[in-house]
Amino acid sequence: MQMSKLLNLLAKNSRLSNEELGVLLGKTADEVAEEIKALEDSGTIKGYTTLVDYGVENPNIVTAYIELKVTPRAESGFDEIAKFIAQYDAVKSVTLMSGAYDLGITIIGENLRVISDFVAKHLSTIDGVISTATHFELKTYKENGIMLCDDEKDERGFVSP
Amino acid sequence: MIDYDKIVSERAREIKPSGIRKFFDIAQQMTGVLNLGVGEPDFFTPWKIRQQAISVLEKIKTSYTANSGLMDLRRSISGYLGRTIGVDYKPENEIIVTVGGSEAIDLAIRALVDEGDEVLIVEPCFVCYAPMVELSHGVPVTVETSIENSFKLTAEALRAKITPRTKALILPYPNNPTGAIMTKEELEPIAEVLRGTDIIVISDEIYSALTYGREHFSIAALDGMRERTLVINGFSKGYAMTGWRLGFLAGPQPILKHILKIHQYAIMSSPTVSQYAAITALEECDDDVAKMVEEYDVRRRYVVNAFNKIGLPCFDPEGAFYAFPCIKSTGLTSQQFSERLVYEKKVAVVPGDAFGKCGEGYIRVSYAYSLKNLKAAVKLIEEFLEDLKKEHGDE
């Protein structure tokens, strides 16, 4: 995927200052600021978040991916249901998918119970939802382009002539 | 008891271990060292190349190849040289596939040097040239470069060292350890000195794929230079293929036919699986190399800026993956600086004098490391500099 060098750097670490970014890109801090503003204005940059591994603080926390089959509504199609689901704080992402199901939802819960309650009480009861299939995440290896299980082992030895 | 020292040849005994080696031995004994001394990419060999190697193994292509290498690979190399340096070499008899650039250097020197012949070596440089010349009973003659000329070879410095015994000039650009490159305009006066002489240029272009801002230019591309130049390159640095041990040498057939004999007797043929994989590298991996170059470039800017900021003036390197900051302001020698840095802060760099006397006062820092590691290392070096200042204050 072709991305601008600036986006590449920000996607990995959005806490770099404009000055630092300028050094890495060979630009001035002002030029970087301008470029970022343009990316924000165009909607390319939607926001700056933190990549959190909740499991470190609370090992019981569960992330689930839920496939939802939905009957689209007249006029609004899938949008209305998708937006309704997206209101919940526990919901991390809602995506309209092609293929065997319609909406893909990622949610985080305190434990298994909380998630199953959410699916049973909130999701499956929504008007238009035909079926749900819940998959629990076991281990995340990479997220947002960042390796989460990287031990950063340098295999290179002290080799030289 | 056998006295092995009496058995081992005088020549072998007299070879000094390299300055990098000595330093690595210290760092290796310690744990938790942030090592910025390594001269190999931190990237993995691109997957396409590894896949090709796996597939070749499945097809049991495990016998020797032609002595000078697979014809298909030599064709790819010929194409690569044509499109990168703009010089045509015949795959049939002007290219030999070697075990890394290292073997190519060894072959070139062995094929050219008779006892007492002088070989000009542009320093600071990679540590293998002088010992190889000595092994061929030749005389290494240092041509020093300095920060004043951005570590580039000048025509005056070259002319001053040429004698009737001068056989060859080893031209190592993009340069390890300084990161200096030489442009077409800067090479032209060098070529002018050499035209009309019988001096052969051994142009070690192993870092040619790793330049920042400017494309690599080979001296072989200048008028009248192809016939007096041996171009050496390889896959280790640009394609992150150090362990595959594959390089090549291109040059005039009348020299190569003799080089081939040495290669045949010493090596037979270069590793077969690596050769097949190298074809994939040359034909399909331009994008992978471009991505690595982009990442090195980001780190390069960071490192150079960081050293300048903490008070170690750093020459702006345009090639390879090394920065060469000046440490003279500390009052320490390169050796003292590097040794204390590794003992006191557990950061390993290579003292500049390991690459020739004129490297004294500098350290070589490899930026083939993640930004995260580089930042951590710079912070520790900054602490070290502050400690040094305090010491001076106490005196």
Side-chain angles (χ1 to χ4, degrees):
Chain A
M1 186 171 58
Q2 276 296 65
M3 274 208 290
S4 81
K5 290 180 191 178
L6 174 64
L7 277 180
N8 264 332
L9 289 170
L10 281 176
K12 276 193 201 132
N13 181 1
S14 58
R15 295 198 69 187
L16 291 168
S17 68
N18 290 349
E19 199 171 50
E20 285 173 300
L21 287 165
V23 167
L24 301 181
L25 296 167
K27 295 180 175 175
T28 66
D30 286 348
E31 284 168 343
V32 170
E34 240 171 70
E35 217 176 301
I36 290 177
K37 173 133 194 328
L39 288 164
E40 287 172 346
D41 289 349
S42 72
T44 301
I45 293 178
K46 299 286 186 197
Y48 304 88
T49 69
T50 307
L51 188 58
V52 182
D53 187 347
Y54 293 99
V56 173
E57 297 230 313
N58 179 356
N60 292 325
I61 279 189
V62 184
T63 303
Y65 184 75
I66 303 162
E67 303 171 3
L68 229 60
K69 283 187 188 162
V70 179
T71 313
R73 294 181 185 169
E75 313 232 327
S76 68
F78 294 101
D79 292 357
E80 204 178 316
I81 296 177
K83 282 179 187 165
F84 179 77
I85 293 167
Q87 299 175 72
Y88 290 99
D89 281 344
V91 172
K92 274 207 305 183
S93 73
V94 182
T95 313
L96 180 62
M97 308 293 291
S98 69
Y101 57 97
D102 304 307
L103 295 177
I105 293 159
T106 317
I107 98 164
I108 295 187
E110 292 283 312
N111 52 49
L112 282 175
R113 181 96 256 148
V114 172
I115 293 204
S116 49
D117 278 358
F118 182 81
V119 174
K121 289 181 187 158
H122 298 287
L123 282 185
S124 52
T125 54
I126 296 170
D127 203 19
V129 170
I130 303 164
S131 70
T132 64
T134 305
H135 309 273
F136 291 104
E137 285 183 6
L138 301 180
K139 184 175 180 181
T140 306
Y141 295 90
K142 187 177 183 183
E143 197 164 325
N144 278 340
I146 292 172
M147 297 299 289
L148 299 186
C149 56
D150 219 356
D151 343 10
E152 273 204 42
K153 212 169 162 210
D154 196 341
E155 299 281 346
R156 292 173 292 173
F158 287 89
V159 180
S160 97
Chain B
M1 274 287 267
I2 300 176
D3 183 355
Y4 291 105
D5 272 351
K6 280 194 183 137
I7 296 168
V8 172
S9 78
E10 201 182 319
R11 207 165 293 284
R13 272 184 283 130
E14 275 174 3
I15 300 171
K16 288 182 218 67
S18 93
I20 309 180
R21 183 72 271 149
K22 187 182 136 199
F23 215 74
F24 277 7
D25 289 341
I26 302 176
Q28 209 159 12
Q29 286 161 10
M30 301 169 58
T31 51
V33 173
L34 249 172
N35 177 14
L36 303 187
V38 172
E40 67 178 311
D42 61 324
F43 297 107
F44 300 131
T45 305
W47 174 230
K48 268 178 268 178
I49 299 173
R50 288 182 280 150
Q51 239 172 345
Q52 171 66 1
I54 294 165
S55 140
V56 161
L57 280 172
E58 279 173 352
K59 292 176 191 143
I60 328 179
K61 308 230 181 199
T62 52
S63 32
Y64 293 127
T65 68
N67 292 117
S68 49
L70 288 168
M71 190 56 186
D72 280 348
L73 174 56
R74 280 179 282 146
R75 278 198 199 102
S76 290
I77 291 169
S78 173
Y80 175 79
L81 290 173
R83 71 174 190 266
T84 53
I85 63 172
V87 187
D88 290 325
Y89 290 97
K90 287 199 209 78
E92 293 77 19
N93 53 21
E94 292 184 319
I95 293 168
I96 298 173
V97 179
T98 57
V99 178
S102 300
E103 193 217 345
I105 295 164
D106 183 27
L107 290 176
I109 292 170
R110 280 209 262 178
L112 292 173
V113 175
D114 278 322
E115 183 155 9
D117 281 348
E118 295 174 0
V119 176
L120 304 179
I121 299 175
V122 182
E123 288 184 349
C125 69
F126 182 49
V127 294
C128 85
Y129 308 126
M132 298 251 195
V133 169
E134 281 164 358
L135 279 172
S136 286
H137 304 203
V139 182
V141 176
T142 300
V143 185
E144 297 196 336
T145 64
S146 68
I147 187 81
E148 284 73 34
N149 292 308
S150 304
F151 295 110
K152 295 168 195 276
L153 175 65
T154 63
E156 302 77 64
L158 172 63
R159 213 178 284 118
K161 295 292 178 125
I162 292 178
T163 75
R165 292 303 311 255
T166 305
K167 204 48 163 310
L169 161 69
I170 298 177
L171 194 64
Y173 293 94
N175 184 270
N176 167 14
T178 64
I181 63 163
M182 286 192 68
T183 63
K184 183 182 180 186
E185 293 69 32
E186 289 155 353
L187 285 168
E188 179 47 44
I190 304 298
E192 195 42 43
V193 174
L194 298 171
R195 286 181 194 120
T197 71
D198 285 340
I199 299 170
I200 298 294
V201 180
I202 300 172
S203 187
D204 185 351
E205 305 177 12
I206 189 73
Y207 290 97
S208 68
L210 308 180
T211 60
Y212 312 101
R214 283 196 258 210
E215 295 287 315
H216 169 70
F217 188 87
S218 172
I219 194 166
L222 291 173
D223 284 346
M225 291 310 293
R226 183 192 185 282
E227 64 215 63
R228 58 187 86 248
T229 302
L230 294 171
V231 171
I232 289 172
N233 211 321
F235 299 87
S236 295
K237 314 293 181 178
Y239 294 97
M241 291 176 71
T242 44
W244 301 71
R245 306 311 308 126
L246 214 65
F248 56 86
L249 189 150
Q253 184 268 345
I255 303 181
L256 256 69
K257 73 177 182 199
H258 296 292
I259 287 183
L260 185 59
K261 286 183 288 178
I262 307 173
H263 174 73
Q264 281 167 353
Y265 285 125
I267 301 291
M268 190 80 82
S269 66
S270 295
T272 301
V273 174
S274 299
Q275 289 194 49
Y276 279 102
I279 297 173
T280 304
L282 293 174
E283 300 297 335
E284 296 175 36
C285 294
D286 286 0
D287 288 353
D288 300 82
V289 175
K291 256 186 224 158
M292 292 192 261
V293 169
E294 189 178 303
E295 179 69 31
Y296 284 133
D297 195 17
V298 163
R299 301 165 180 185
R300 179 184 73 97
R301 291 176 202 283
Y302 169 74
V303 166
V304 171
N305 183 272
F307 279 119
N308 281 319
K309 238 179 176 170
I310 65 176
L312 299 181
C314 189
F315 163 74
D316 197 26
E318 292 184 78
F321 41 60
Y322 308 104
F324 205 55
C326 178
I327 51 104
K328 288 175 187 166
S329 62
T330 62
L332 300 177
T333 66
S334 305
Q335 290 282 342
Q336 289 166 337
F337 184 96
S338 308
E339 211 161 298
R340 286 192 55 182
L341 184 63
V342 74
Y343 281 128
E344 293 171 31
K345 297 292 171 190
K346 290 197 171 185
V347 175
V349 297
V350 182
D353 67 335
F355 306 96
K357 265 196 208 117
C358 57
E360 176 54 51
Y362 297 85
I363 53 170
R364 187 190 77 172
V365 175
S366 161
Y367 52 86
Y369 293 89
S370 67
L371 261 185
K372 195 175 140 195
N373 278 339
L374 291 171
K375 280 185 183 176
V378 165
K379 194 158 173 281
L380 288 164
I381 294 173
E382 193 176 9
E383 280 176 29
F384 176 61
L385 294 176
E386 273 159 25
D387 292 352
L388 286 178
K389 271 187 208 141
K390 272 180 218 148
E391 268 173 42
H392 285 295
D394 293 342
E395 273 164 19

